[in-house]
Amino acid sequence: WSGTSAADNWIQMLSNRQARPDLYPRGMKEVSDAAHQRHMKLQLWFVPHCIDPSVEIGKEHPEWLGEPYDFSGNYYSLDHGDPKVNQFMIEYYTKIVRDYGLDVFREDGRPLWPSDNKPGRIGAVQAHYIEGYYAFRDALLKNHPSLIIDNCGEGGKKVDIETISRSILMWRSDFQCSGNPVSISNQLYTFGLSYWIPLYSAAASWQWNTKYDFRGAFAPSLVLMSAVSDLNQKWNQIDLNLLKAMLEEYLSVRDAFYGDYYPLLPYDAGEDSWLAWQFDQPEEGKGLVQAFRRSQSRFFAVNYLLLHGLDPDALYQVTDLDVNQPQTRTGRDLMEKGLELTAKEKPAALIVTYQKIQK
């Protein structure tokens, strides 16, 4: 969306934060106004510290350029650790958010600080850079309290405690970019991130045609994506009925992913294993279990998946979404004897929900 025209190279587009006049002759505010009239939000993608010396900030302030980086061209980075530079960036992007009417500031790029090898001071430049880096985000949020910062970070390269306290992770890995099924990767990302990040997005592709792929991407948030260059030729391959069913199913269970997280089987990346976890909402008395039988697993069932966090004396309605024949179990039974799940086919993805029965 940014740059002077389609003739700009990749780095020039990243380094120019003005709306392309050939695409948006009346600017970006017109787009955000149209979105807001329809009760939608506008998100724009930025690489804030990406600088090409021939355009915009790099051209106006060549004295701020540090060492070049090899990233598809002549790429320099601004130093958040320089108070003067950081204050400029705060004011600059505060104005862009206001003038463009942005709701979501999608921030890509990895942290790139200047040389940090001065004897006796190794690490100091990095420390100051990171301090300024956090201050930059704090200022944007202070100046625009309703702003959401989407921490893309080249696909999960900035998933640290301080950054995620100031942002959300709507793109957890660039491994998703191809649009091809990456079911085990999606499962493992959810398994690990759920220990300590309450809100993140997984990605599902329009071209997927199995429940196994789609259910492996269920998470607190879901990005539906497609490789745009392939969309026209692959449109006829999309199973719209399955896509609709999977999105409806996801929306019916999405709130469970904000609950307490419990792994039910050990972390395992092998094609010959099962993986399972539980998300429990104690205040609502409900939750779900997901289990995945991998493509090379010799075992068609798993036993003794002991649930957590339930009321031992309460009754729960337990439903396998594929069978849809609810059973009644006590909380104690589910925590002490657990679930036995069966999948005759492989690979397979199972979802079991439970709801406390109110007396």
Side-chain angles (χ1 to χ4, degrees):
W1 65 272
S2 63
T4 57
S5 71
D8 290 353
N9 65 43
W10 177 244
I11 300 300
Q12 288 174 329
M13 285 190 290
L14 300 185
S15 305
N16 194 326
R17 285 77 181 180
Q18 306 305 312
R20 268 176 53 181
D22 56 327
L23 296 178
Y24 308 100
R26 289 178 292 276
M28 196 55 65
K29 186 63 164 58
E30 182 179 54
V31 181
S32 64
D33 285 345
H36 297 157
Q37 290 170 6
R38 292 159 177 79
H39 307 289
M40 301 169 69
K41 296 182 184 297
L42 178 64
Q43 176 192 62
L44 280 183
W45 177 68
F46 297 89
V47 185
H49 33 254
C50 178
I51 301 297
D52 185 301
S54 68
V55 301
E56 217 185 24
I57 299 175
K59 186 176 182 179
E60 297 171 9
H61 295 281
E63 73 278 11
W64 289 352
L65 303 184
E67 300 88 353
Y69 294 89
D70 183 15
F71 182 69
S72 304
N74 197 14
Y75 170 31
Y76 295 79
S77 180
L78 291 180
D79 182 12
H80 285 285
D82 184 329
K84 178 175 59 179
V85 174
N86 209 39
Q87 185 58 37
F88 172 87
M89 294 181 72
I90 289 170
E91 295 174 358
Y92 182 83
Y93 283 99
T94 293
K95 184 176 186 300
I96 282 182
V97 172
R98 181 183 67 245
D99 292 351
Y100 290 5
L102 294 189
D103 304 288
V104 184
F105 183 86
R106 181 173 177 81
E107 183 199 297
D108 209 341
R110 76 185 77 175
L112 294 169
W113 47 84
S115 294
D116 194 20
N117 54 8
K118 186 176 180 180
R121 296 285 294 168
I122 294 175
V125 172
Q126 177 184 353
H128 288 304
Y129 179 98
I130 297 299
E131 286 178 345
Y133 188 77
Y134 297 146
F136 169 67
R137 284 147 198 78
D138 288 340
L140 286 184
L141 296 172
K142 179 181 178 181
N143 295 336
H144 298 286
S146 62
L147 181 69
I148 295 172
I149 297 177
D150 170 16
N151 168 30
C152 178
E154 293 186 359
K157 289 190 173 70
K158 294 186 293 192
V159 190
D160 62 273
I161 295 294
E162 290 294 335
T163 296
I164 64 172
S165 72
R166 295 163 167 83
S167 62
I168 60 175
L169 191 65
M170 292 177 67
W171 190 254
R172 63 188 185 179
S173 172
D174 278 351
F175 195 65
Q176 305 166 141
C177 288
S178 69
N180 295 320
V182 285
S183 298
I184 290 184
S185 296
N186 262 332
Q187 295 165 27
L188 298 179
Y189 283 130
T190 298
F191 188 102
L193 287 175
S194 299
Y195 277 108
W196 56 293
I197 302 181
L199 177 58
Y200 55 85
S201 291
S205 172
W206 291 21
Q207 280 88 37
W208 291 357
N209 57 14
T210 70
K211 288 184 178 182
Y212 181 74
D213 293 326
F214 273 107
R215 287 176 171 177
F218 284 7
S221 177
L222 183 66
V223 176
L224 186 63
M225 52 85 71
S226 175
V228 176
S229 61
D230 297 336
L231 186 57
N232 289 333
Q233 67 188 51
K234 289 186 175 181
W235 182 252
N236 291 332
Q237 302 173 24
I238 297 174
D239 187 338
L240 292 178
N241 291 329
L242 176 65
L243 177 62
K244 181 174 183 293
M246 288 293 95
L247 291 177
E248 290 177 346
E249 180 180 87
Y250 168 68
L251 292 174
S252 74
V253 300
R254 178 174 59 180
D255 63 332
F257 291 94
Y258 296 101
D260 298 333
Y261 169 66
Y262 301 97
L264 300 181
L265 290 174
Y267 180 97
D268 194 325
E271 283 281 8
D272 59 349
S273 64
W274 282 70
L275 195 67
W277 56 68
Q278 172 194 3
F279 284 93
D280 180 62
Q281 297 173 275
E283 297 85 357
E284 306 292 334
K286 65 179 183 178
L288 65 75
V289 171
Q290 283 191 282
F292 302 90
R293 182 188 183 189
R294 306 275 177 69
S295 63
Q296 303 302 319
S297 173
R298 296 183 294 111
F299 303 101
F300 65 87
V302 286
N303 301 321
Y304 308 114
L305 294 179
L306 305 181
L307 302 195
H308 302 265
L310 308 185
D311 181 348
D313 298 320
L315 294 176
Y316 289 84
Q317 180 174 283
V318 182
T319 306
D320 182 326
L321 295 190
D322 291 320
V323 179
N324 196 25
Q325 294 179 353
Q327 298 179 351
T328 300
R329 303 271 301 272
T330 66
R332 179 174 285 102
D333 191 45
L334 290 169
M335 291 191 290
E336 295 181 357
K337 295 182 180 179
L339 293 174
E340 176 180 336
L341 300 182
T342 301
K344 295 182 180 180
E345 298 180 354
K346 57 181 180 180
L350 309 179
I351 295 181
V352 175
T353 63
Y354 57 88
Q355 173 72 65
K356 181 188 290 188
I357 299 174
Q358 302 297 330
K359 296 179 180 180

